Amino acid sequence: MTENSTVRSVTYDLLRSLRLTTVFGNPGSTEQTFLQEFPDDFTYVLALQEASAIAMADAFAQVTRRPALVNLHSSAGLGNSLGNLVAAYRGNTPLIVTSGQQHRELVIGEPYLGNRAATTMPEPWVKWSYEPARAQDVPEAFMRAYAVALQPPAGPVHLSIPMDDWNVPLAGFDRLRTVSDRVAPDTGRLRLFADRISASRSPALVFGPEVDRAGGWDAAVALAERLRAAVYGPPLPDRTSFPEDHPLFRGPLGMSVKTVSDRLTGHDLVIVIGAEVFRYYPYVPGDYLPAGTELLHITNDPSVAAYARMGDSILGDTRTAVELLVDLVADGAARTAPQPMPRPRLLPPAPSNPLTPPEVYAALSRVRPPDAVIVNESTSTMAQQVEWLPTVRSGSFFATASGGIGWGTPAAVGVALGDREGGVTRPVIGLIGDGSFQYSVQGIWTAAQHRLPIVYVVMRNHEYSILKSFAELEETPGVPGLDLPGLDIASLARGYGCRAAEVETAEDLEKEFTAALNAGTTTVIVVSTRPQKAML
């Protein structure tokens, strides 16, 4: 044992070996024994609220393609984080989330700031939750947490660590391990799938978020082109896995049972790869599949395969499966290629005041750099975003996987920090609704402190437009709390240290957006817009 070697020093050495040297958090008193004398070779990313810390770490891990570490405060901080922890779980993001626990001597007496249900509190939204039985077990708990978080299906894990554990003497920990993060599909079953695909007269492909997370973008394009198959975007995607300007792309499937089935009419076989079958919301009754249509499903998540409402499934890494299928399926040259999807891109005959969302997106399409990444949490305008700002590169679109809001604003911070970590220079565009922006508005302070190249475009329509669309669909008139008057978003942004601008016209939006790209820091542009009825 080296002089003054403790659980804390041994754990920091292990974290270095695992490349977990960026810590996202908001410090509390039960974590200070871990954070004391914070090492110079580590980076602490301060979020002003724990939900923001989780979202930042989530996007950071997605961009860097390795686990990220989050440090939270006992039950209070862990509780604040849960909304975005759901998103990390649904998005298969490998996070190691730690929370401080009270002193072991005090825990039995239910002390102030103790967590009486430390291991069960974050369930079911973590893969594993544990509080070490002994202080000496803390490093090994981190090692196991790393392995569990990374192995497929990847996801967040949680460790509760009593505050007095960190100063306990410990000689060291020498059982550093590596684990695989991919499982190959059953090749025999995959050949059967390939035979069914080759025999299809009109196949449809649906590439979900798993494909882009696995690095399978190019393989997805190769498979679609070999088959000459129509490609659809899955309902409510949190990543995009196929170029949305490709001639074979037929647009989003929609969200409801009826909409999905209607869109797939005319296809005898649907191959869903790396997506749920399907993410439905809202409930609009219909046939789950058109008559005579069959479905094949490939995913690395056993639970996703199990709760699919129809279809035959294969478990395995989606990139590996797609690459194998490219060689196994017959060439589809004899098929009639799908007609390119009409892209009317209709705008009002004269500029609107306030602008419509299509006018906003049309303006952004004229000035968006080709390498820009989009983080979208403008939930009522998702269809217009795909139309005007299609995703054309791998790893350049991110959205929440949970359906909650409050993820997008801090997630843009995580994307930009992940780019900086990897030496990548590209602008990050946060497309945020005015209601969504309020959930995690404090995230822009972190962006400003790090001078991140983020341009937030906040659409100010003075309401929860998506909820009004649902109210109309669900025939629930008179729902309160759907209007948002009196928000001075530009002043809030300036108060957090960001550049800010308010615009009314497309020309001013283009001008301010272009200036923001060269500002060297974070900018919030508030655009007055008309409410947009969501395409459900």
Side-chain angles (χ1 to χ4, degrees):
M1 182 171 73
T2 61
E3 185 178 359
N4 298 323
S5 182
T6 62
V7 168
R8 178 187 169 280
S9 63
V10 169
T11 301
Y12 270 107
D13 285 342
L14 174 63
L15 295 176
R16 290 184 180 93
S17 298
L18 298 175
R19 298 179 66 197
L20 292 169
T21 57
T22 299
V23 182
F24 295 84
N26 183 278
S29 56
T30 54
E31 296 76 58
Q32 288 182 335
T33 45
F34 168 64
L35 297 171
Q36 62 181 312
E37 298 178 357
F38 195 69
D40 292 338
D41 58 331
F42 279 64
T43 300
Y44 188 87
V45 178
L46 174 61
L48 300 185
Q49 210 264 7
E50 290 85 356
S52 290
I54 290 282
M56 291 174 191
D58 182 345
F60 180 84
Q62 291 190 57
V63 169
T64 61
R65 296 183 179 270
R66 64 176 191 270
L69 180 60
V70 185
N71 184 242
L72 303 178
H73 179 47
S74 190
S75 55
L78 184 59
N80 284 340
S81 77
L82 287 179
N84 281 334
L85 191 61
V86 176
Y89 182 84
R90 290 291 193 191
N92 297 126
T93 303
L95 299 182
I96 300 174
V97 180
T98 66
S99 63
Q101 175 63 293
Q102 254 284 12
H103 197 289
R104 286 181 182 269
E105 178 70 22
L106 297 177
V107 167
I108 195 171
E110 299 286 348
Y112 190 68
L113 297 181
N115 190 343
R116 64 185 303 175
T119 58
T120 58
M121 185 176 180
E123 294 177 345
W125 306 114
V126 291
K127 292 178 65 180
W128 181 57
S129 185
Y130 183 69
E131 185 174 285
R134 309 177 306 159
Q136 294 86 344
D137 295 333
V138 169
E140 188 159 6
F142 270 92
M143 187 69 255
R144 179 174 170 182
Y146 180 87
V148 174
L150 193 59
Q151 289 179 308
V157 298
H158 169 246
L159 295 177
S160 169
I161 305 172
M163 60 188 297
D164 54 316
D165 282 7
W166 296 108
N167 293 324
V168 172
L170 184 66
F173 179 78
D174 58 2
R175 295 191 299 280
L176 182 69
R177 300 183 293 119
T178 60
V179 295
S180 172
D181 62 355
R182 296 193 178 206
V183 177
D186 178 339
T187 53
R189 188 166 173 82
L190 197 64
R191 288 191 186 95
L192 294 176
F193 274 34
D195 291 343
R196 292 173 66 180
I197 295 169
S198 298
S200 169
R201 59 173 174 76
S202 180
L205 287 164
V206 181
F207 292 113
E210 286 180 33
V211 176
D212 197 47
R213 287 199 292 265
W217 177 284
D218 291 339
V221 174
L223 180 61
E225 292 178 347
R226 180 166 177 78
L227 293 173
R228 301 185 83 184
V231 179
Y232 295 89
L236 301 163
D238 50 283
R239 296 279 290 265
T240 298
S241 297
F242 191 84
E244 293 173 334
D245 63 346
H246 194 284
L248 293 173
F249 184 66
R250 306 297 297 160
L253 277 179
M255 304 183 199
S256 70
V257 171
K258 184 179 188 307
T259 303
V260 171
S261 182
D262 288 350
R263 291 283 281 139
L264 293 174
T265 297
H267 297 289
D268 62 333
L269 183 66
V270 180
I271 309 102
V272 180
I273 305 177
E276 298 173 50
V277 181
F278 288 102
R279 280 181 179 169
Y280 295 122
Y281 193 82
Y283 176 63
V284 179
D287 296 326
Y288 282 97
L289 282 176
T293 302
E294 297 181 343
L295 188 142
L296 302 177
H297 187 204
I298 302 173
T299 175
N300 72 2
D301 191 331
S303 64
V304 169
Y307 63 64
R309 306 297 293 272
M310 60 277 187
D312 303 323
S313 65
I314 288 179
L315 290 173
D317 177 70
T318 52
R319 173 181 173 180
T320 302
V322 174
E323 289 174 342
L324 290 171
L325 280 175
V326 171
D327 294 327
L328 291 173
V329 298
D331 188 284
R335 292 191 185 96
T336 301
Q339 292 299 309
M341 183 180 69
R343 298 178 184 271
R345 293 189 170 184
L346 298 178
L347 293 173
S352 303
N353 186 16
L355 296 172
T356 64
E359 287 176 296
V360 172
Y361 287 142
L364 292 177
S365 73
R366 293 190 287 268
V367 291
R368 174 182 65 159
D371 62 340
V373 57
I374 286 177
V375 180
N376 189 340
E377 200 168 276
S378 176
T379 53
S380 64
T381 67
M382 292 184 291
Q384 290 73 35
Q385 182 253 304
V386 173
E387 181 180 3
W388 288 96
L389 298 171
T391 301
V392 298
R393 299 185 182 198
S394 176
S396 60
F397 175 85
F398 299 88
T400 179
S402 72
I405 57 178
W407 184 88
T409 300
V413 176
V415 171
L417 287 171
D419 282 347
R420 183 174 288 178
E421 172 94 356
V424 175
T425 302
R426 59 177 179 171
V428 179
I429 306 171
L431 302 174
I432 314 291
D434 53 354
S436 294
F437 195 66
Q438 306 312 310
Y439 275 65
S440 299
V441 65
Q442 69 286 130
I444 64 174
W445 177 87
T446 305
Q449 291 295 307
H450 290 265
R451 299 188 66 81
L452 297 176
I454 304 172
V455 185
Y456 290 103
V457 179
V458 181
M459 297 196 196
R460 182 77 176 101
N461 61 18
H462 302 274
E463 66 178 31
Y464 287 121
S465 190
I466 185 70
L467 297 181
K468 289 191 175 183
S469 296
F470 280 126
E472 182 176 332
L473 176 70
E474 295 163 353
E475 298 180 355
T476 55
V479 175
L482 302 186
D483 294 310
L484 299 171
L487 289 174
D488 188 349
I489 294 172
S491 293
L492 282 172
R494 294 185 187 100
Y496 280 113
C498 297
R499 292 181 68 254
E502 296 179 273
V503 299
E504 302 286 341
T505 68
E507 292 77 11
D508 286 344
L509 174 57
E510 292 180 39
K511 177 183 176 182
E512 291 293 346
F513 186 89
T514 301
L517 293 175
N518 300 305
T521 189
T522 303
T523 299
V524 176
I525 302 174
V526 185
V527 189
S528 296
T529 58
R530 292 186 180 182
Q532 172 74 51
K533 182 178 179 180
M535 298 177 66
L536 305 174

